[in-house]
Amino acid sequence: LYAKDVKKPIYAKECSIAVKEKKFIISKNADFLRNEEGRIIGGLETFEDITVRKRAEGEVRKFKAIAEKAGYGVGMIDLEGNLIYVNDSFAKMHGYNVSNLIGKHFSILHTKEQMNNVARLKEKTEKKGNYTLEEVWHKRKDGKLFPTLMNGTLIKDENGNPMFIAATAVDITDRKKLEEKNIAITERLKYLISSSSVAIYAAKTSGDYGATFISENVSQITGYKSQKFVDNSSFWIDHVHPEDRQRILGELPRIFKQ
């Protein structure tokens, strides 16, 4: 405070101190106390321990160095749910710039309905330390909803105290559309098969030539459920007429060789 080369007042000056061989980082404020005539009659100094905050900032810097190069969304929230870091991919995924999101509560990225699941994952992370491959729906700036596949982990300080939660997010919109298309095709195929008078099946190409799949409409033709044929490899041949059994078994190797 009394050093002539230091400007006064001193505001938020960071410095390190050691107490019983333990290092602390503090933020220091200081100024002179003056009487009514303006003469210096003393000084006042205040200190704030910012060790935890500075260590957290260091962890964020290390995290950012990796996350900035990632081709998927990466974000970080404090324990109150405020966004303290997002990479460019994460921001663009939601229709924002990075600066638009920092400091905002992460609920800005979800609807009220989605927040029920998100709150569950946050609680799970705080209790168990992480979550993996969770499907989480998000909300873009324009209000459109989209699905992501997320992983999250709890970051702790050197003493094991929780500091923040880091998460990755991959937009799986295209994958979900493909899954829905495949489901629709499968359902259509099932309908066509079930309404057909011809049973469709897949079988082993050697050995007992047991069925690995057979359409459900086989029950309409034979009176037996399709699962009977799949569970018991010899079920199909046991129910072939005795006069035809040897002929069919003799023909199968030739058919599969073709």
Side-chain angles (χ1 to χ4, degrees):
L1 179 62
Y2 293 95
K4 293 182 179 180
D5 59 341
V6 177
K7 293 182 179 180
K8 317 306 184 296
I10 299 170
Y11 176 70
K13 177 69 175 179
E14 293 182 10
C15 52
S16 299
I17 61 173
V19 179
K20 295 182 179 180
E21 299 184 353
K22 189 172 182 180
K23 183 179 178 181
F24 293 89
I25 303 173
I26 63 171
S27 176
K28 176 180 178 180
N29 300 298
D31 199 4
F32 291 120
L33 290 176
R34 301 174 185 272
N35 61 16
E36 293 179 355
E37 286 79 31
R39 295 177 57 188
I40 298 173
I41 58 174
L44 177 66
E45 296 185 14
T46 61
F47 302 90
E48 179 187 2
D49 183 356
I50 58 171
T51 307
V52 173
R53 190 188 81 195
K54 294 300 292 183
R55 286 175 181 164
E57 289 174 355
E59 291 297 325
V60 172
R61 281 195 296 271
K62 285 189 256 183
F63 186 80
K64 285 174 66 175
I66 300 171
E68 290 298 332
K69 299 176 182 178
Y72 48 83
V74 181
M76 190 181 293
I77 60 171
D78 60 24
L79 299 182
E80 285 70 48
N82 300 308
L83 290 158
I84 58 176
Y85 169 77
V86 296
N87 69 353
D88 192 54
S89 294
F90 187 93
K92 287 181 177 178
M93 186 187 302
H94 294 86
Y96 292 93
N97 294 320
V98 170
S99 59
N100 298 142
L101 293 176
I102 301 303
K104 299 290 194 307
H105 193 271
F106 73 136
S107 59
I108 192 177
L109 307 175
H110 302 279
T111 64
K112 289 182 180 180
E113 293 75 18
Q114 292 169 0
M115 280 302 295
N116 292 327
N117 184 43
V118 175
R120 175 186 66 82
L121 291 175
K122 181 175 180 291
E123 183 178 356
K124 179 180 179 180
T125 307
E126 291 172 346
K127 287 182 178 180
K128 296 186 176 182
N130 68 344
Y131 65 86
T132 57
L133 300 177
E134 291 274 358
E135 184 177 309
V136 183
W137 282 77
H138 289 237
K139 180 184 70 173
R140 290 192 175 90
K141 185 179 181 181
D142 61 9
K144 292 182 179 178
L145 309 182
F146 68 101
T148 70
L149 196 64
M150 295 192 69
N151 297 295
T153 187
L154 182 66
I155 307 298
K156 299 179 180 180
D157 64 19
E158 59 189 21
N159 297 316
N161 300 310
M163 293 193 298
F164 36 73
I165 294 173
T168 61
V170 178
D171 186 342
I172 57 172
T173 301
D174 291 340
R175 194 183 84 178
K176 292 290 288 184
K177 287 180 179 178
L178 182 59
E179 287 176 356
E180 291 170 1
K181 184 178 180 180
N182 288 338
I183 290 172
I185 292 172
T186 301
E187 291 301 318
R188 178 62 178 166
L189 182 59
K190 283 182 178 180
Y191 170 75
L192 292 174
I193 290 173
S194 65
S195 60
S196 172
S197 59
V198 178
I200 298 175
Y201 73 96
K204 299 174 186 175
T205 58
S206 61
D208 59 11
Y209 302 101
T212 56
F213 163 80
I214 191 163
S215 56
E216 293 181 4
N217 65 332
V218 74
S219 62
Q220 299 170 16
I221 301 169
T222 67
Y224 296 105
K225 291 186 177 180
S226 60
Q227 200 61 37
K228 287 266 189 185
F229 293 86
V230 176
D231 291 343
N232 184 352
S233 292
S234 63
F235 187 84
W236 75 277
I237 195 63
D238 290 342
H239 289 77
V240 172
H241 195 281
E243 294 180 4
D244 296 324
R245 193 173 298 161
Q246 289 305 314
R247 179 178 60 81
I248 291 173
L249 287 174
E251 287 289 328
L252 284 174
R254 183 181 63 81
I255 292 172
F256 282 114
K257 280 182 181 179
Q258 291 177 347

